[in-house]
Amino acid sequence: MTQKEAVLRHLQEHGKITDLEAYKLYAIRRLGARIWDLRADGYKIVTKNTKEKNRFGQQTMFATYVMEG
C-alpha cells in the first residue's frame, strides 16, 4: 500500500488525520504532500487549525486534515 492509499483509507475510515497520527501509524513524514496528491485526484480535504496544549502545558497549533462529503 502506498502512503497516499494509507492516508486515503484513514480519512475514509476516521474522517480526519494529523501529521502526528500519520507519522505514528504509517511512518509518513510529509503528510502535506500526500494531502496535495489526494486533492489533485479530486478529493475534497479541508485543512483545519487545531489548538491543544502539549505535554508541557503550552498552547500549540497544528493542522488537522478533514475529508469532506
Side-chain angles (χ1 to χ4, degrees):
M1 175 182 317
T2 66
Q3 289 184 350
K4 184 170 82 168
E5 291 168 340
V7 172
L8 178 59
R9 187 184 72 197
H10 186 96
L11 286 168
Q12 289 171 333
E13 291 177 4
H14 303 281
K16 62 182 181 166
I17 192 168
T18 66
D19 188 57
L20 186 58
E21 290 172 323
Y23 180 66
K24 284 183 175 181
L25 297 171
Y26 311 109
I28 296 173
R29 297 192 62 190
R30 295 187 60 228
L31 177 60
R34 301 299 69 84
I35 296 297
W36 188 90
D37 293 339
L38 290 169
R39 286 175 175 157
D41 288 345
Y43 292 96
K44 296 195 181 226
I45 302 169
V46 179
T47 304
K48 299 203 176 203
N49 291 323
T50 304
K51 292 182 182 180
E52 285 186 8
K53 290 189 177 181
N54 64 16
R55 63 182 173 170
F56 305 110
Q58 300 165 324
Q59 189 77 5
T60 61
M61 189 178 334
F62 54 91
T64 298
Y65 297 99
V66 180
M67 176 82 87
E68 285 196 338

